[in-house]
Amino acid sequence: YPENHRYLADVLSYVAVGARSVENQQNRLTASGLDLPVGMKNPTSGDLSVMINAIRAAQVGHVFSYGGWEVESKGNPLVHAVMRGRVNQYGQSFPNYHYEDLRELSNMSAESGLKNPGVIIHTNHSNSGKRWMEQPRIVKDILYSTRHSDDILHLVKGLMIESYIEDGCQKVEDGVYGKSITDPCLGWEKTQRLILDIADLISWKLQICAENRSVRRITPVDGNFLTLRRTDGKIIALLKMKSCRIIKNV
């Protein structure tokens, strides 16, 4: 609810505008005046142009009414996309996390001239058909796509995974501690395993940057430590991983 920001601004670090609110003008205007990242979800119809328009509107300044005051915003360059799947007229869910979907979003973002184009992909909701156990597979599918397109690699900024203490969900009256009463979630143990799997999957292309002067790609091999040095010889980082090797300077 946009009007609540005046009460919560000092405790918020991230805001997501939902699929049913992304077309609301007040949400777009309010996002343009926030100094924190804001994710605009695609609408339930799946129309990406609606989401792109919301991002464009929030990235520029406006003069508008807020809480009974006339206010002026400067635009928020940190507004970005959130892909959460879609629902058709029969209530059937369809995903939009596949390679082709991300490629299309990348093209649309470039054509629209968005600042800092990026996307966070929701691995539950319509992307999983609310089958919460599909989330680890979906995560791996997304990471696989980043390995085959530099555009997608730079576009994908993160994953929105629904996780809690216990697996699944429950009715309010069931009273199971740590189990969701809304959307079904991955439990603690499965979440921990997924995070470790993600670390293994991205280690092949870990990028270390220092003052935009040196970037390295690494891949798992035998060994325990990897020292990364900047172009002037200064050590950037000493990594302790399963094993690493520089395979290419980029």
Side-chain angles (χ1 to χ4, degrees):
Y1 299 98
E3 301 300 326
N4 289 345
H5 281 284
R6 51 186 164 171
Y7 306 112
L8 301 172
D10 57 341
V11 297
L12 294 176
S13 59
Y14 183 84
V15 171
V17 177
R20 296 162 188 82
S21 304
V22 70
E23 296 184 70
N24 179 273
Q25 190 67 10
Q26 193 67 9
N27 276 292
R28 298 179 179 190
L29 294 171
T30 303
S32 74
L34 301 179
D35 59 355
L36 47 78
V38 178
M40 295 286 188
K41 292 188 178 183
N42 64 263
T44 53
S45 68
D47 186 345
L48 298 188
S49 67
V50 171
M51 178 181 68
I52 293 292
N53 288 337
I55 297 170
R56 291 179 63 188
Q59 287 191 344
V60 299
H62 300 274
V63 176
F64 60 101
S65 175
Y66 182 87
W69 298 83
E70 181 182 282
V71 298
E72 181 178 3
S73 65
K74 302 298 184 182
N76 185 349
L78 301 179
V79 179
H80 57 273
V82 178
M83 299 280 265
R84 47 89 70 203
R86 65 181 180 88
V87 180
N88 69 7
Q89 65 268 39
Y90 304 110
Q92 299 168 320
S93 294
F94 295 88
N96 61 6
Y97 64 83
H98 293 299
Y99 179 92
E100 294 79 10
D101 300 303
L102 299 177
R103 171 64 71 183
E104 181 61 27
L105 177 61
S106 177
N107 293 339
M108 293 178 68
S109 298
E111 292 170 1
S112 300
L114 299 182
K115 303 170 186 174
N116 306 311
V119 62
I120 291 178
I121 303 170
H122 200 306
T123 60
N124 211 6
H125 280 326
S126 294
N127 270 332
S128 70
K130 294 199 174 181
R131 295 186 294 273
W132 58 273
M133 281 292 291
E134 293 291 306
Q135 292 188 95
R137 179 191 62 78
I138 292 169
V139 166
K140 293 168 186 177
D141 194 300
I142 295 163
L143 294 179
Y144 185 79
S145 294
T146 67
R147 299 178 69 165
H148 292 274
S149 168
D150 282 342
D151 289 338
I152 292 177
L153 173 65
H154 291 103
L155 183 71
V156 176
K157 305 300 184 185
L159 302 162
M160 192 175 289
I161 302 168
E162 293 207 66
S163 166
Y164 202 33
I165 300 172
E166 300 292 339
D167 289 334
C169 63
Q170 64 176 331
K171 296 179 180 178
V172 176
E173 58 268 23
D174 291 343
V176 178
Y177 177 80
K179 198 168 189 177
S180 172
I181 58 172
T182 54
D183 290 336
C185 299
L186 289 177
W188 183 268
E189 292 182 2
K190 291 184 178 64
T191 300
Q192 183 183 42
R193 180 68 259 168
L194 178 56
I195 291 171
L196 294 173
D197 287 346
I198 291 172
D200 286 341
L201 287 167
I202 66 173
S203 65
W204 73 279
K205 205 169 187 180
L206 178 65
Q207 296 183 344
I208 303 296
C209 305
E211 301 173 10
N212 296 318
R213 296 179 65 182
S214 180
V215 181
R216 310 288 190 185
R217 290 183 181 178
I218 62 177
T219 189
V221 293
D222 294 333
N224 295 317
F225 293 91
L226 175 69
T227 299
L228 297 186
R229 295 180 182 273
R230 207 168 56 189
T231 51
D232 63 2
K234 183 177 180 181
I235 292 178
I236 299 171
L238 179 64
L239 303 178
K240 182 178 181 180
M241 303 177 63
K242 288 183 178 178
S243 54
C244 304
R245 170 172 64 89
I246 297 177
I247 57 172
K248 185 180 179 182
N249 288 340
V250 294

